[in-house]
């Protein structure tokens, strides 16, 4: 296969004859659908650089096929590593100009209002940022690219930014990158109002990818305990945004309803819960993070959160989501006298119990 790829290489590049280039790229795309093909392509730096170059090919069909090749390559951790680490100058075919690195290439298309590859480049960036050890490097490239996270959020939140693209996969990009404290601190900057612009997408019906990406981003931000008071305050009001996707059409008496956040009062009869169990689990885990301090637990209880969780627990069938729900309920139904700890994150769990809990969770 290595010899075959080397034979194809002269056609998989800018300037090759159009018909032969189209066939060669199509063949490479087929190879990315097999483990053996992906392995061979990842071991061919010159081919990787040529595919990155073809993102700028004047033929849109060829550029799209090249982008789909890169989506598939980046989906594997080894492929993501090779695409980020490849030496562009050394591996560039003779007489060809080295392309920009793949992250900058993706950003160029994402910020180009007329690009027909913006969505594919969002998918590439989403896959590249999945391995945790590549996240900081990708953030560095973004910060040095001349573009800011402010602009990236602007593209994501403006649905009509590019008539050729939907930008749903920027959701997972933000979720992946928000594993870094640098990105979390940017999203949680009280002067920028970033997180307020992301909150409406927790219930975005048109795309599970966008919805899941933002819920993951919010959960990551909830690991920053010092911001919990602000997140739960009227300035952000994150609680109803996390609870609303978990709520169903159940009716409650007026006394219970009045205690709920306004957005959860008198929901319509056709109100549906979030249908993806992974997203439900992430929402519950985010809420659990917000319960770390006593003052916030009391606020969350006062909003009748237990009522929503009780009905969710009756309805839920996914084991992982059930466990997440039970963990959260277990905190909220206890009195503070029973908990006897202001900050649960400071609670020391004995090693033998931690091991037992981990094993129990894994079995579930």
């Amino acid at each position: 296969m290595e010899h075959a790829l080397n034979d194809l290489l002269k056609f998989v590049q800018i300037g090759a004859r159009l018909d032969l280039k189209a066939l060669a790229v199509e063949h490479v795309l087929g190879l990315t659908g097999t483990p053996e093909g992906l392995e061979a392509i990842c071991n061919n730096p010159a081919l990787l650089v040529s595919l990155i170059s073809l993102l700028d090919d004047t033929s849109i069909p060829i550029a799209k096929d090249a982008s789909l090749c890169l989506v598939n390559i980046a989906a594997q951790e080894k492929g993501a590593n090779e695409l980020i680490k490849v030496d562009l100058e050394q591996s560039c075919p003779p007489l060809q100009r080295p392309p920009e690195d793949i992250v900058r290439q993706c950003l160029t298309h994402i910020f180009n209002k007329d690009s027909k590859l913006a969505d594919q480049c969002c998918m590439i960036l989403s896959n590249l940022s999945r391995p945790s050890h590549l996240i900081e490097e990708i953030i560095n490239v973004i910060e040095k690219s001349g573009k800011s996270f402010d602009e990236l959020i602007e593209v994501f939140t403006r649905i009509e930014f590019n008539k050729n693209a939907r930008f749903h996969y920027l959701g997972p990009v933000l979720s992946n990158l928000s594993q870094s404290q640098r990105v979390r601190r940017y999203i949680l900057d009280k002067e920028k109002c970033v997180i307020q612009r992301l909150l409406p997408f927790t219930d975005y019906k048109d795309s599970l990818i966008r919805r899941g990406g933002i819920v993951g981003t919010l959960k990551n931000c909830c690991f920053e305990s010092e911001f919990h008071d602000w997140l739960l305050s009227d300035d952000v009001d994150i609680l109803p945004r996390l609870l609303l996707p978990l709520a169903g059409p159940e009716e409650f008496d007026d006394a219970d309803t009045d205690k709920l956040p306004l957005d959860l009062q008198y929901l319509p009869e056709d109100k549906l819960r979030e249908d993806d169990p992974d997203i439900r689990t992430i929402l519950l885990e985010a809420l659990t993070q917000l319960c770390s301090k006593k003052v916030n637990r009391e606020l969350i209880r006062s909003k009748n959160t237990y009522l929503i969780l009780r009905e969710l627990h009756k309805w839920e069938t996914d084991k992982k989501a059930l466990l997440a729900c039970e963990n959260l309920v277990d905190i909220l139904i206890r009195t503070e006298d029973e908990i006897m700890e202001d900050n649960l994150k400071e609670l020391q769990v004995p090693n033998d119990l931690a091991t037992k809990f981990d094993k129990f969770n894994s079995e579930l």
Side-chain angles (χ1 to χ4, degrees), residues 159-228:
I159 304 299
E160 301 298 328
F161 179 81
N162 180 339
K163 64 182 180 181
N164 303 303
R166 304 296 300 277
F167 297 105
H168 294 325
Y169 276 86
L170 279 184
V173 171
L174 291 172
S175 180
N176 295 339
L177 297 183
S178 62
Q179 294 176 68
S180 166
Q181 188 176 62
R182 279 196 285 169
V183 175
R184 292 198 299 271
R185 293 279 173 159
Y186 159 75
I187 294 172
L188 292 168
D189 188 319
K190 296 180 181 180
E191 303 300 321
K192 292 184 180 296
C193 294
V194 174
I195 197 164
Q196 292 92 330
R197 295 159 66 192
L198 299 179
L199 287 175
F201 295 104
T202 61
D203 204 32
Y204 187 78
K205 303 301 183 187
D206 291 347
S207 171
L208 183 147
I209 299 298
R210 178 180 284 255
R211 195 167 72 244
I214 290 309
V215 169
T217 302
L218 297 178
K219 176 193 167 182
N220 289 339
C221 289
C222 287
F223 282 101
E224 298 292 332
S225 302
E226 67 182 90
F227 290 90
H228 285 181

Side-chain angles (χ1 to χ4, degrees), residues 247-257 260 264-271 273 307-308 310-311 314:
E250 295 83 10
E251 294 184 8
F252 308 109
D253 61 45
D254 290 344
D256 277 335
T257 299
L260 288 167
L264 280 90
Q265 295 181 12
Y266 302 107
L267 296 175
E269 293 180 0
D270 60 351
K271 169 67 172 72
R273 288 185 173 87
L307 208 61
I308 302 298
R310 184 191 69 194
E311 299 305 315
K314 294 177 185 176

Side-chain angles (χ1 to χ4, degrees), residues 84 103 107 125 129 132 134-145 147-149 173-174 176-184 186:
I84 292 290
V103 176
L107 291 173
L125 203 52
S129 57
S132 57
L134 295 177
I135 289 173
E136 295 297 334
E137 189 168 348
I138 291 172
I139 293 170
N140 289 338
V141 174
I142 293 173
E143 290 181 342
K144 294 175 182 176
S145 70
K147 295 295 183 180
S148 67
F149 280 103
V173 171
L174 291 172
N176 295 339
L177 297 183
S178 62
Q179 294 176 68
S180 166
Q181 188 176 62
R182 279 196 285 169
V183 175
R184 292 198 299 271
Y186 159 75

Side-chain angles (χ1 to χ4, degrees), residues 4 10 17 24 45 50 64 81 96 103 130 137 144 165 169 194 206 219 232 249 253 262 265 299 341-342 350 360:
K10 59 179 175 289
R17 210 174 87 184
S50 292
K64 281 190 174 180
N81 277 323
Q96 293 289 319
V103 176
R130 281 168 60 190
E137 189 168 348
K144 294 175 182 176
Y169 276 86
V194 174
D206 291 347
K219 176 193 167 182
L232 289 164
D253 61 45
L262 191 60
Q265 295 181 12
L299 184 148
E341 188 74 42
D342 179 44
F360 179 65

Side-chain angles (χ1 to χ4, degrees), residues 92-126:
C92 188
L95 305 179
Q96 293 289 319
R97 180 181 176 183
E100 287 191 303
D101 64 78
I102 189 167
V103 176
R104 288 176 185 265
Q105 285 273 66
C106 288
L107 291 173
T108 297
H109 283 283
I110 289 169
F111 287 111
N112 180 354
K113 293 181 179 181
D114 298 315
S115 174
K116 292 181 171 61
L117 297 182
D119 274 341
Q120 290 88 340
C121 284
C122 290
M123 294 169 71
I124 294 169
L125 203 52
S126 173

